[in-house]
Amino acid sequence: MENLKFDVVIIGGGAAGLFLAASLPANIKVALLESNDRVGKKLLATGNGKCNLTNLDMNIAHYNRPGFIEEFLDKFDAHDTVATFEKMGLITKAVDKRVYPYSECASTVLDVLRRGVDRAGTQVFTSHFVNFIEQFNDAFNVQGIVKCEGKPNESFTINCDKVVLATGSPATFGKDSTSLFTAFGHKVREMRPSLCPIKTNKEQIKGLQGVRVKAGVRIGYRYEVGEVLFKEFGVSGIAVFNLSSELARDRAKVGDIMTIDFMPEYSRAEVEDILRKRAGTMTVGELMLGTFHSKVQERIIAAANCSPDEPAQAKIGVLAGVIKGYKLEIEGLGDASLAQVMSGGLDPREFDENLMSLRAMNAYAIGEALDIDGDCGGYNLQWAWTSAMTVARHIIKTF
């Protein structure tokens, strides 16, 4: 394959890479390289296929590096995202501050992005896997292989003036390509699953597989209320997903205790009062029967060291304590294949206010390639759009 020359090469055809390509004018010659056989594959799975684009409650506290991200969100926030997508032709709607395409279908977002990329004149190369970037003076050689089904792989080299790493992370079916920039001397924090299930001691969740509850969940000082889904290996659900970032960001560790509050609407005293008024001459088993799922009541009674046949009145305090703080020992994070994002990546402090590398002039990184991750609710996609627009604006200024 002969050498090709472009002004800009974007490595990665996910959310950030596509948004960047669609934001660059047609007078800049751009190539977008994607290792999969089609672009936007991961985007189609976001928000359970609904694609939660952003969140109108854009609080920097939802990110692992609030101090770093603030200046970027000041220049391109959730409202800018909505306006930009509407200019691209996408109709959006907000549900509890979360912004979705009106169709509630991720493929609609991908269609709009692909049309924007086409209008910008970007050349898209799928099945192109980049394995090395070499810098010569003020230019780059981007090298890799073309995966040809049923045929031997071919090598390729593309020359460019600017290169942008937009490869995302290994979450779901993505890839970690930060090694392409460690060759320039960049530091990387190991990527770990985030926004994912948490593995716990199996004895403490015995018999609960498949049970869903609305509960409060706590790890350390952080507390979330939402759906909790019990799995064979641990717990899942949106509340757990948000708390998983505490482990991914090294704010919690294996062996720590996660507590589940099965009655988050009430205080400990209120739970005791509710149980005491209902207990009468009931046994512990009878009292729990009308309150919780049968499998949940079994675990609460066991954790309280009670017998279902004991008089309930004498056990009100201990039962209330377990209901408000059911303890699970943390054994680790769920697999990357189950994660919405990864926590980790290139150290953002080694990039300037335009997200250009301080180690290699005209090399940029955006999206999950940088060590920036947010909570559930559109915050990670917002970082993809914000970081991509930051780089787009700087590249446009240089031409």
Side-chain angles (χ1 to χ4, degrees):
M1 182 176 176
E2 63 178 306
N3 289 10
L4 300 174
K5 176 69 170 69
F6 289 88
D7 296 322
V8 179
V9 167
I10 302 169
I11 304 171
L18 290 169
F19 195 76
L20 170 58
S23 301
L24 293 173
N27 66 300
I28 299 176
K29 191 176 180 182
V30 181
L32 187 150
L33 309 182
E34 169 57 48
S35 62
N36 289 310
D37 58 359
R38 54 195 171 96
V39 298
K41 191 174 178 182
K42 185 175 173 181
L43 183 63
L44 292 175
T46 59
N48 292 321
K50 292 183 178 182
C51 197
N52 182 186
L53 288 167
T54 185
N55 199 306
L56 298 178
D57 175 24
M58 195 44 59
N59 190 320
I60 59 173
H62 289 289
Y63 292 93
N64 66 324
R65 292 178 181 266
F68 176 85
I69 203 170
E70 184 172 21
E71 65 174 294
F72 296 97
L73 288 174
D74 284 345
K75 296 172 184 175
F76 192 85
D77 64 9
H79 298 284
D80 297 316
T81 293
V82 172
T84 302
F85 270 106
E86 288 183 348
K87 285 181 182 177
M88 289 184 183
L90 184 74
I91 299 177
T92 63
K93 66 179 180 181
V95 181
D96 296 329
K97 300 286 181 94
R98 298 185 180 207
V99 179
Y100 297 89
Y102 186 79
S103 65
E104 292 194 4
C105 187
S107 62
T108 307
V109 179
L110 181 56
D111 289 342
V112 168
L113 285 171
R114 291 181 66 176
R115 183 172 61 189
V117 170
D118 288 342
R119 286 177 174 174
T122 297
Q123 278 191 249
V124 177
F125 298 86
T126 56
S127 299
H128 277 56
F129 182 81
V130 178
N131 53 29
F132 189 64
I133 304 173
E134 204 169 13
Q135 185 175 30
F136 289 103
N137 298 321
D138 295 328
F140 298 92
N141 283 346
V142 179
Q143 303 168 23
I145 59 170
V146 184
K147 294 178 283 187
C148 307
E149 190 173 348
K151 300 178 183 178
N153 292 335
E154 298 178 4
S155 61
F156 72 86
T157 300
I158 297 178
N159 301 315
C160 61
D161 298 320
K162 301 179 187 294
V163 63
V164 184
L165 189 66
T167 48
S169 75
T172 58
F173 33 70
K175 295 178 178 64
D176 176 4
S177 297
T178 51
S179 60
L180 294 173
F181 270 37
T182 57
F184 298 142
H186 278 284
K187 297 174 185 174
V188 175
R189 184 168 74 87
E190 178 190 2
M191 287 191 176
R192 300 176 183 173
S194 188
L195 302 190
C196 67
I198 295 177
K199 297 177 182 176
T200 66
N201 184 298
K202 291 183 180 179
E203 183 61 31
Q204 296 159 342
I205 55 171
K206 189 176 180 180
L208 290 176
Q209 183 178 0
V211 174
R212 295 175 185 269
V213 296
K214 182 180 179 183
V217 188
R218 182 182 297 280
I219 295 179
Y221 292 106
R222 188 162 178 190
Y223 180 75
E224 295 277 340
V225 176
E227 183 182 84
V228 174
L229 171 61
F230 289 93
K231 298 278 194 176
E232 182 182 8
F233 58 81
V235 285
S236 186
I238 189 168
V240 174
F241 269 46
N242 276 336
L243 286 177
S244 68
S245 63
E246 296 298 290
L247 289 163
R249 298 170 185 172
D250 289 326
R251 295 173 184 169
K253 62 184 185 302
V254 172
D256 284 355
I257 299 298
M258 173 197 311
T259 59
I260 297 180
D261 179 354
F262 288 110
M263 298 182 75
E265 303 92 339
Y266 303 101
S267 68
R268 165 74 179 266
E270 287 172 329
V271 170
E272 287 193 26
D273 189 51
I274 290 169
L275 295 179
R276 188 171 289 108
K277 286 178 178 178
R278 292 182 62 245
T281 59
M282 288 183 182
T283 63
V284 168
E286 289 171 333
L287 178 61
M288 293 293 100
L289 185 65
T291 310
F292 301 106
H293 186 288
S294 60
K295 297 298 182 182
V296 172
Q297 79 171 41
E298 289 176 10
R299 298 314 311 161
I300 291 173
I301 293 171
N305 292 316
C306 294
S307 165
D309 300 323
E310 288 183 76
Q313 284 289 2
K315 297 294 182 180
I316 297 299
V318 68
L319 287 169
V322 173
I323 289 168
K324 293 295 291 179
Y326 187 79
K327 296 179 180 179
L328 298 176
E329 183 180 350
I330 296 171
E331 293 190 346
L333 290 161
D335 296 332
S337 62
L338 302 174
Q340 291 184 8
V341 299
M342 302 289 277
S343 180
L346 296 165
D347 189 338
R349 294 170 297 184
E350 298 178 342
F351 293 80
D352 67 13
E353 69 277 7
N354 302 303
L355 296 179
M356 184 169 70
S357 167
L358 297 174
R359 304 281 184 267
M361 180 75 73
N362 293 323
Y364 304 80
I366 58 178
E368 280 190 84
L370 290 164
D371 184 9
I372 300 291
D373 66 273
D375 293 336
C376 288
Y379 298 103
N380 289 289
L381 274 182
Q382 180 58 50
W383 171 241
W385 317 135
T386 294
S387 58
M389 185 57 74
T390 298
V391 171
R393 288 170 173 170
H394 188 249
I395 288 176
I396 290 168
K397 286 181 182 177
T398 64
F399 280 88

